[in-house]
Amino acid sequence: MINLSSSYNPDVLSCIANLSNDEVFTPPEVANAMLDMLPQELFSNPNTTFLDPSTKSGVFLREIAKRLIIGLEPLIPDLQERLDHIFHKQLYGIAMTELTSLLSRRSLYCSKYPNSIYSVSPFDTIQGNIRYKSINHRWVDGKCVYCRATETEYGDEKRAGLEKHAYEFIHNTDPKEIFGMKFDVIIGNPPYQLSDGGQKASATPLYHRFVSQAKKLNPRFMSFVIPARWYSGGRGLDTFRDEMLNDSHIRKLVDFTDSEDCFPGVDIAGGICYFLWERDNTGDCEVTTIHNGKKNVTNRKLDEYPIFIRHEEALSIIQKVKMNEKEFYNSRVSSQKPFGLRTYVKPTDKGDIILRYNGGTGPFWRKDVTQSLGWIDKWKVIMSYLTYDHAGRADKEGKRRIFSTMEVLPPNAVCTETYLVVDAVDTETEANNLFKYLQTKFVRFLVAQTTSTQHIAKANFMFVPVQDFSHSWTDEELYKKYELNSEEIDFIESMIRPMDLTGDNDG
């Protein structure tokens, strides 16, 4: 016989599977951790208003309701009167889809139709305070002016009978018009991205638009859980990164280097984070980093560098390097398409130079090279623009490799945009020494501080100093040159795994 008093009774919202990495359901534990960052007196104030502009399961509104039910008991002793006040005057949500609107209402009101007899607090309307409105994208030159979705992927012909993913909160110029009221707290877990129909599951980020739109409502507090890819910017996120790093209203940032430590079973490249923004309070940010099961808490400014450095231990290393050097490799590494040759370019039947492409090498014509003509006759070190790791994901030992394919190209050789040219030099000796330098843990550690996506670009080399390559460099020599102490060396060694120096760099 089962002992019901001791049997497992899981929270249903903990058991809901995520639809995709684009729209991730929030575990109750994460929702409560975010609510814990708020001043707790908010939950004892009958006038505090809360908005979840991207509700999916209703977990934020449900957990807020639990706190208000307890906090308002001294002021509103009658339970039904208290529930009616909370649900009608304090909690509001905007659902992502019609399905999630029903799920959210069921979580909050105990009925997917709050005007039914099953609702714990009856409303006159079918939606209550959790609204869902089918919105159309607004197309200009094939893209939505609000979210940048592509008409080829989300136009009426393609999405007939399907969800359009035109989210109401960000598909207007003035979000105040949605509810016509102000909110003290805006909190949620917005959709992360939309597929744009490009190659290799290309997608347009969305989450930053929810954060920016929420700021227009000028709440007292704001908290969102979002991908950490914004730390280094990138596609559509450079402006958002700059705004976040220079916003002294962000008072707390909780950073998970591995998304599964926040969302079990969900793999989000670059990790995940959530933050607390306070309208009436500015200052340094309390940064909590969770890495390999360890928690580190520091208070610091977010704008010390052009990107966010997530590890406090890395800051001292970067500072020592910056103090001793003036030239860094972001000034030398090529941009995309170093020779103007797209990925699909292949060797020709004949040619006067060699082309390195994704499938190997072959003949090519010098006259068809459109960029960096001065590099053709130099020795070059190239590497794949894709990281070896899954965008910041460490191996089972908690270490990363960072670089994938790397090789030395001789004179009279070029490459497609599959590769970046790290540098072009005059001699084979310089090229080989640069090649070995890039394989050091020191260099790969510095690049790792700037990578939160699967791609490597010239900006990721902003902390890698240019060296004299008339001779080779080892980690030990670099540690000594920059006067790293034992703790700093141990941190690098704990983060970066050895790289094969035999020339087999694809493994």
Side-chain angles (χ1 to χ4, degrees), residues 27 42 47 84 142 203 254 365-366 495:
L42 292 170
N47 298 314
D84 292 341
V254 180
W365 292 107
R366 180 185 290 255
M495 294 279 288

Side-chain angles (χ1 to χ4, degrees), residues 427-444:
T427 68
E428 183 177 7
T429 296
E430 291 175 286
N432 288 333
N433 288 336
L434 170 58
F435 180 74
K436 293 178 181 179
Y437 176 63
L438 294 171
Q439 292 177 317
T440 63
K441 293 180 181 178
F442 175 81
V443 167
R444 290 182 288 131

Side-chain angles (χ1 to χ4, degrees), residues 19-132:
L19 299 177
S20 69
N21 284 4
D22 300 346
E23 297 181 13
V24 179
F25 285 115
T26 312
E29 296 79 10
V30 175
N32 277 296
M34 294 169 67
L35 293 173
D36 287 342
M37 296 193 301
L38 294 166
Q40 296 306 293
E41 57 266 25
L42 292 170
F43 304 106
S44 301
N45 186 340
N47 298 314
T48 305
T49 52
F50 299 82
L51 170 67
D52 180 350
S54 53
T55 185
K56 294 181 285 294
S57 67
V59 65
F60 285 103
L61 298 176
R62 188 194 71 172
E63 297 306 311
I64 293 169
K66 288 181 180 180
R67 297 182 183 222
L68 290 171
I69 289 170
I70 296 172
L72 295 182
E73 184 174 9
L75 295 175
I76 310 175
D78 182 79
L79 177 58
Q80 188 60 54
E81 182 182 351
R82 193 157 72 249
L83 292 175
D84 292 341
H85 177 86
I86 292 168
F87 292 146
H88 287 254
K89 297 183 178 181
Q90 293 190 269
L91 300 182
Y92 299 82
I94 303 173
M96 295 287 89
T97 64
E98 185 174 8
L99 175 62
T100 59
S101 73
L102 300 176
L103 180 58
S104 297
R105 295 182 199 122
R106 178 66 179 81
S107 297
L108 187 62
Y109 307 131
C110 299
S111 172
K112 58 185 179 181
Y113 302 116
N115 62 345
S116 75
I117 60 174
Y118 302 107
S119 175
V120 295
S121 181
F123 282 79
D124 295 331
T125 65
I126 197 171
Q127 293 197 356
N129 281 346
I130 300 179
R131 61 180 284 157
Y132 171 72

Side-chain angles (χ1 to χ4, degrees), residues 11 17 48 62 78 89 103 105 112 114 118 120 126 160 167 182 251 298 317 326 329 388 422 439 463 469-470 487 498:
D11 184 337
T48 305
R62 188 194 71 172
D78 182 79
K89 297 183 178 181
L103 180 58
R105 295 182 199 122
K112 58 185 179 181
Y118 302 107
V120 295
I126 197 171
Y167 304 115
K182 294 183 178 180
R251 303 312 312 281
T298 58
I317 298 172
K326 293 183 179 179
Y329 258 103
Y388 179 86
V422 179
Q439 292 177 317
F463 300 133
F469 291 115
S470 62
E487 289 79 10

Side-chain angles (χ1 to χ4, degrees), residues 171-307:
H171 280 73
N172 61 78
T173 56
D174 187 3
K176 298 185 185 71
E177 296 178 355
I178 298 177
F179 282 106
M181 61 181 291
K182 294 183 178 180
F183 294 96
D184 296 295
V185 179
I186 299 179
I187 189 169
N189 180 10
Y192 297 158
Q193 60 189 27
L194 278 180
S195 169
D196 60 13
Q199 295 181 342
K200 297 183 179 180
S202 177
T204 299
L206 278 182
Y207 58 90
H208 63 300
R209 301 186 185 278
F210 281 79
V211 177
S212 299
Q213 196 80 325
K215 287 184 178 180
K216 293 181 181 179
L217 291 175
N218 197 30
R220 290 175 57 198
F221 301 94
M222 178 172 59
S223 184
F224 284 101
V225 55
I226 58 178
R229 290 190 289 270
W230 67 266
Y231 293 171
S232 56
R235 187 176 187 182
L237 294 172
D238 288 343
T239 299
F240 179 69
R241 174 201 60 200
D242 293 343
E243 291 175 353
M244 292 287 282
L245 294 182
N246 290 282
D247 191 343
S248 59
H249 295 273
I250 299 177
R251 303 312 312 281
K252 295 183 180 182
L253 175 68
V254 180
D255 172 37
F256 297 85
T257 60
D258 187 338
S259 62
E260 294 204 38
D261 289 336
C262 184
F263 297 139
V266 179
D267 182 11
I268 298 172
I272 205 81
C273 69
Y274 54 81
F275 65 88
L276 175 66
W277 181 93
E278 299 186 32
R279 183 190 66 196
D280 303 325
N281 193 5
T282 61
D284 290 351
C285 182
E286 179 188 280
V287 178
T288 302
T289 303
I290 291 89
H291 176 70
N292 288 345
K294 297 180 180 179
K295 179 187 293 186
N296 183 57
V297 182
T298 58
N299 283 283
R300 53 190 172 107
K301 297 182 184 299
L302 298 181
D303 62 349
E304 187 171 0
Y305 293 105
I307 63 171

